[in-house]
Amino acid sequence: MGDVYKLASRVLIYLGNEAGNSNHAMDAIAKREGAAKEVLDLFQRTWFNRVWVLQEVALAECALTICGSKCVPWTCFPAWWASNRASLGELVNPPPGTLAYDPLVTKRLSLLQQLHDTRYSKATDPRDKVYALMGLLSPEDRSSLMVDYTKSVSHVYMEAAEAIVRRDHSLKLLSAVQPSDHSLHGSDLPSWVPDWRSENPIVSLGLSNHFMEPYDAGGFPACKLNVVSQENSPRLVCSGIIFARISRLGSTMPEHDNSRPTTNVMKEWRKMTGLLNPIFKSNSFLDPLNYVISSPSPSVTDTLLQTMFAAPSPTLQAESHDKPKLSFEEILNTESREKLKFCGGRKLIITSNEYLGLAPNEARVGDIVAVLLDAPVPHVLREVYYGTYKLVGECYVNGIMGGEALAHLKPELEALGHRCRPYATTKSV
C-alpha cells in the first residue's frame, strides 16, 4: 500500500459526514484559527487514531481531507495543531496519532521512534502496530523485518525488538518499555522487549525528543551488545556498571496533575530528602536551579527540584538567575508544575550512595540502578540469578545523566572505542 500512496497524484482522506460543528472546525483548521472545542470534537473521529492511515499522510505528495461538504488540504491539520497545541494543555492527552506525524520528518525516523510515536494509535490486529509502519521505513530498516501473520503477537514484537537492537546497535529501545507492559494482555515477552499494545501515559525519559539527546548516561557506542536466541525468549546481553541500589522510595506521583494528591506527594518527597545528610552536596553537573527554601538545606532542595524537573533537558532547565527566587510552597502553586511531566507515574528514590532520582512505580528497595553502555538513561534492574536481571524500567538519577558514572572507566572504555559526551564540572551550592 505504501507504493500506492507514494505514486498517487492525489490522496483523498474521508472523515465522514457533516455532524455537529464539523463545518466550523474545518473552516478553523483551514484558516489556522482557534475554535478548539469544535476542532477537538472533530479529532475524536476514529480515523485520526488508526495506525494504518499514517501512510496516507506520510507518503502522499498531495492529500486532501474531506468532511461533509468541506475539503481542506491535509497540511492545514498539522499546521493548526502546531499553532494551538501549547494552549490546549491537558485537553488532548494523548494527541491524535496522525497529528504527531510531520511527513518531512517521518520519512527519516527509525523504526523505534515511529513505534514510540504511534504508541496510542489503534490497530484491530496488534501485529499491525509493527506491520503498518513497514511502508514508512527506510529500505535498510524494512529489510530486517518480514511481514508474517502466521506468527504470534509476542513473536512479532520480539523480532521487532531484536531488529532494532541489531540495526541501531543501541539500548535506546529499553526506554520504550513501560511499567505495565508485562502485566497486561497475558504478556510472555522478555522484560527488555516493549509490548506495543500498552498505552501507559508515563513520559519516556530516553525517547521524548526527536532532535536532541538531553541525556547521555551510557555514552556510545554499545560494547559487547548481542541478542542471544533462545527458545521463545531471546536474551539481551549487554555491558554496564552497577551504580547503586535503591535504599529509599517515596510515594508514586499521580500520572496527571490531580492538584491535592500531587501536592501531597511533593511535600512527602521534600520531607523524605530532609533525612539526608544536611551537608549533602549537589550531585548535579548543572548550575543549581534558582530556587531556595529555608529547610531542609538549600543544596538538598536544589537537587530535589532538579530531579523533579529531570534536568538537564534544555526545555526544563532554569535559564536565568534574574528570575525571582521561589520557595518550595510557591512552586506547588505556580506554572512550574507543568515541568513535572517526568514525575507522573514515578517514585522519588534515594540510592545507597545518596543520589536522588525518579524510578518506575514498580521499583523496590534493593533494586539495582545500572548504567548500561549506549543507553541514554540509567535503568532499574532486579537480579533474577547471578549475572541475569529483569528490567524494571528506565530511571533518572541526578548527577549521572551525562556519563559521570563511567568517568572512572574512561581509559578502559576508550580502548574499546566507547565515548561519553563532555559534561560540565560539578558545582557546589
Side-chain angles (χ1 to χ4, degrees), residues 200-267:
N200 196 297
I202 292 176
V203 178
S204 170
L205 290 158
L207 286 170
S208 59
N209 199 312
H210 288 185
F211 308 106
M212 304 177 71
E213 297 289 349
Y215 308 123
D216 191 29
F220 64 93
C223 301
K224 301 179 181 179
L225 176 62
N226 194 20
V227 178
V228 179
S229 298
Q230 293 181 327
E231 186 177 355
N232 300 323
S233 184
R235 184 163 55 95
L236 181 66
V237 179
C238 57
S239 303
I241 65 165
I242 294 176
F243 175 72
R245 290 186 181 268
I246 296 175
S247 62
R248 276 169 277 179
L249 287 163
S251 297
T252 303
M253 185 74 76
E255 291 170 2
H256 301 290
D257 185 1
N258 294 320
S259 205
R260 184 179 296 277
T262 299
T263 298
N264 290 342
V265 172
M266 291 173 70
K267 289 179 177 179

Side-chain angles (χ1 to χ4, degrees), residues 58-70:
L59 301 177
E61 290 296 326
C62 174
L64 298 177
T65 311
I66 300 169
C67 182
S69 61
K70 298 288 184 176

Side-chain angles (χ1 to χ4, degrees), residues 53 81 94 100 111 157 167 196 233 263 293 335 342 399-400 427:
V53 305
W81 179 258
L111 173 59
Y157 289 177
R167 174 88 171 92
W196 299 107
S233 184
T263 298
I293 188 171
E335 59 188 17
F342 292 112
I400 67 168
K427 298 186 178 183

Side-chain angles (χ1 to χ4, degrees), residues 206-384:
L207 286 170
S208 59
N209 199 312
H210 288 185
F211 308 106
M212 304 177 71
E213 297 289 349
Y215 308 123
D216 191 29
F220 64 93
C223 301
K224 301 179 181 179
L225 176 62
N226 194 20
V227 178
V228 179
S229 298
Q230 293 181 327
E231 186 177 355
N232 300 323
S233 184
R235 184 163 55 95
L236 181 66
V237 179
C238 57
S239 303
I241 65 165
I242 294 176
F243 175 72
R245 290 186 181 268
I246 296 175
S247 62
R248 276 169 277 179
L249 287 163
S251 297
T252 303
M253 185 74 76
E255 291 170 2
H256 301 290
D257 185 1
N258 294 320
S259 205
R260 184 179 296 277
T262 299
T263 298
N264 290 342
V265 172
M266 291 173 70
K267 289 179 177 179
E268 181 209 291
W269 287 8
R270 184 184 64 171
K271 184 177 180 181
M272 180 177 161
T273 59
L275 301 174
L276 292 171
N277 188 330
I279 313 178
F280 177 80
K281 68 179 187 302
S282 172
N283 293 315
S284 177
F285 57 91
L286 295 169
D287 290 331
L289 289 175
N290 198 24
Y291 301 117
V292 297
I293 188 171
S294 57
S295 177
S297 69
S299 59
V300 175
T301 300
D302 286 337
T303 305
L304 172 60
L305 287 167
Q306 288 179 343
T307 300
M308 292 167 64
F309 292 166
S313 173
T315 58
L316 303 183
Q317 182 184 352
E319 297 176 352
S320 172
H321 290 286
D322 298 328
K323 296 179 181 179
K325 294 182 178 182
L326 302 173
S327 70
F328 198 93
E329 284 74 14
E330 288 171 322
I331 284 286
L332 300 180
N333 300 303
T334 68
E335 59 188 17
S336 298
R337 288 279 282 272
E338 70 187 26
K339 298 180 181 179
L340 303 180
K341 63 179 182 179
F342 292 112
C343 292
R346 292 187 169 100
K347 298 176 177 180
L348 181 73
I349 62 169
I350 299 177
T351 64
S352 52
N353 49 3
E354 293 203 331
Y355 278 64
L356 297 183
L358 300 172
N361 177 55
E362 287 72 12
R364 303 175 188 168
V365 170
D367 281 346
I368 290 167
V369 175
V371 176
L372 306 176
L373 300 189
D374 206 18
V377 298
H379 288 82
V380 177
L381 307 179
R382 189 167 298 148
E383 192 165 15
V384 179

Side-chain angles (χ1 to χ4, degrees), residues 143-199:
S143 65
S144 61
L145 283 172
M146 296 293 292
V147 176
D148 185 349
Y149 284 99
T150 66
K151 296 176 179 177
S152 67
V153 174
S154 292
H155 196 148
V156 171
Y157 289 177
M158 284 188 280
E159 280 192 343
E162 183 172 350
I164 289 168
V165 170
R166 294 191 186 282
R167 174 88 171 92
D168 298 349
H169 207 64
S170 164
L171 291 178
K172 200 171 183 180
L173 172 78
L174 303 185
S175 286
V177 175
Q178 294 278 6
S180 63
D181 277 6
H182 302 94
S183 60
L184 301 174
H185 314 292
S187 177
D188 56 353
L189 293 169
S191 66
W192 62 275
V193 175
D195 188 335
W196 299 107
R197 293 168 292 189
S198 169
E199 297 180 2

